Amino acid sequence: MAEAMVKLEGVHKRFGQLEVLKGVDLHVQKGEVVCILGPSGSGKSTLLRCVNLLEPPESGEIFVEGQDICKGPGSGTGEQSWNLDFVRQRVGMVFQQFNLFPHKTVLENVTLAPRQVLGKSRAEAEEKAKALLDRVGLSDKFDQYPERLSGGQQQRVAIARALAMEPHVMLFDEVTSALDPELVKEVLDTMRELASEGMTMLVVTHEMGFAKEVGDQVVFMDGGVIVEQGKPADVLDNPQQERTKKFLGLVLGTS
Ligand code: ADP
Ligand code: MG
């Protein structure tokens, strides 16, 4: 089998007394879309935050493109050993709250990291940013400030901003949960397009339609562990575990 794009093995994470991830194993192949479902507090965000080292795990291993991201080459132990540069250049993340810089224009939001982190020239960063904003349907918004945009437009800027770093993997943490219902579709359409272009994606979502249509795998988490995983049609239509059945019943309003 080909080397996994992202591989978690026995990942544990605790906050003080609270063990939030209790040994998570997950393999994500290149180009795969993995949708992660589960009740609030089950550790979904923490899992994504471990993959981009916002929260380094206590134990276990996380590989991105075969590289153990918790152990930087030649570096010591502890914080210095996290392979942050490697991760920053490969793993992009989009959050529920768009986290755009309010005093920067759309174009400045998208060009900032490529200029500061990748050292791109203004011209090069702007050319790339304009192409990305065009791709997410915002070519008329370059000079606007975020507050002038709808939530759906702001979230699409946030996606363009993450893509500007040319990531190999994208993490989405409930990116449509803060949006008015009529704005959800435009963001899901952007994600659907990204998936069809072959982006590897880990998507925490409550959008069952998206999970079913776009997901290659669905992972159901509860209490810091993966309870069940498999093809969307299997997990969503024919769950095997009681906890999965109960959660889906609540989410889909059938129980
Ligand atoms: P989910 O995204 O599935 O709702 P989270 O990963 O956000 O779950 O949180 C899992 C648990 O970890 C929750 O009980 C949450 O309160 C706790 N938690 C998350 N982040 C922190 C933190 N930085 N410090 C302390 N506890 C945290
Ligand atoms: Mg969360």
Side-chain angles (χ1 to χ4, degrees):
M1 198 158 80
E3 180 72 70
M5 185 66 136
V6 179
K7 185 164 74 174
L8 287 81
E9 291 192 337
V11 169
H12 288 256
K13 177 71 190 175
R14 61 167 67 241
F15 295 108
Q17 293 299 307
L18 184 68
E19 193 174 23
V20 176
L21 297 179
K22 301 175 183 167
V24 173
D25 300 311
L26 181 64
H27 290 200
V28 183
Q29 298 300 322
K30 187 171 175 4
E32 218 179 6
V33 177
V34 176
C35 291
I36 302 168
L37 323 175
S40 181
S42 57
K44 306 179 299 295
S45 295
T46 304
L47 179 71
L48 291 191
R49 293 166 68 85
C50 282
V51 174
N52 77 349
L53 292 183
L54 283 173
E55 299 286 0
E58 263 93 53
S59 64
E61 270 126 30
I62 302 177
F63 299 87
V64 173
E65 296 179 331
Q67 169 91 25
D68 185 342
I69 60 173
C70 304
K71 294 192 190 82
S75 48
T77 54
E79 194 160 349
Q80 299 87 331
S81 73
W82 306 331
N83 217 337
L84 274 176
D85 287 344
F86 181 88
V87 173
R88 291 286 165 273
Q89 289 174 21
R90 284 167 184 78
V91 183
M93 186 156 174
V94 184
F95 303 87
Q96 179 175 338
Q97 300 302 336
F98 329 118
N99 299 338
L100 297 176
F101 301 108
H103 303 300
K104 294 193 182 297
T105 65
V106 164
L107 194 62
E108 287 165 349
N109 265 280
V110 180
T111 55
L112 189 69
R115 292 184 65 191
Q116 290 191 348
V117 180
L118 302 181
K120 287 194 179 184
S121 69
R122 175 195 286 266
E124 194 188 353
E126 287 189 349
E127 187 182 296
K128 172 90 184 173
K130 284 176 176 172
L132 285 169
L133 287 164
D134 190 33
R135 189 163 140 198
V136 300
L138 294 172
S139 45
D140 55 338
K141 304 292 183 196
F142 298 162
D143 300 325
Q144 294 282 2
Y145 287 88
E147 65 173 10
R148 300 286 299 274
L149 305 182
S150 73
Q153 290 170 333
Q154 289 188 52
Q155 194 57 293
R156 284 184 283 145
V157 174
I159 293 172
R161 181 177 61 175
L163 292 175
M165 292 294 284
E166 300 173 7
H168 300 182
V169 181
M170 284 281 283
L171 313 176
F172 294 89
D173 193 359
E174 297 199 38
V175 297
T176 59
S177 298
L179 299 177
D180 292 332
E182 74 272 21
L183 303 179
V184 168
K185 184 177 179 297
E186 65 192 45
V187 172
L188 292 181
D189 283 347
T190 298
M191 293 164 66
R192 194 176 281 121
E193 206 175 296
L194 199 55
S196 74
E197 290 163 7
M199 180 63 80
T200 307
M201 299 169 42
L202 274 73
V203 183
V204 173
T205 186
H206 298 297
E207 296 289 337
M208 297 299 163
F210 179 87
K212 208 160 178 173
E213 185 198 332
V214 183
D216 297 298
Q217 286 189 63
V218 164
V219 167
F220 173 69
M221 284 185 74
D222 195 10
V225 297
I226 292 178
V227 172
E228 186 162 356
Q229 74 186 104
K231 295 266 170 237
D234 293 337
V235 176
L236 299 177
D237 295 338
N238 191 19
Q240 300 300 305
Q241 302 295 324
E242 281 310 315
R243 281 194 281 178
T244 318
K245 289 180 194 173
K246 186 164 167 238
F247 174 77
L248 290 173
L250 288 169
V251 171
L252 300 172
T254 55
S255 69

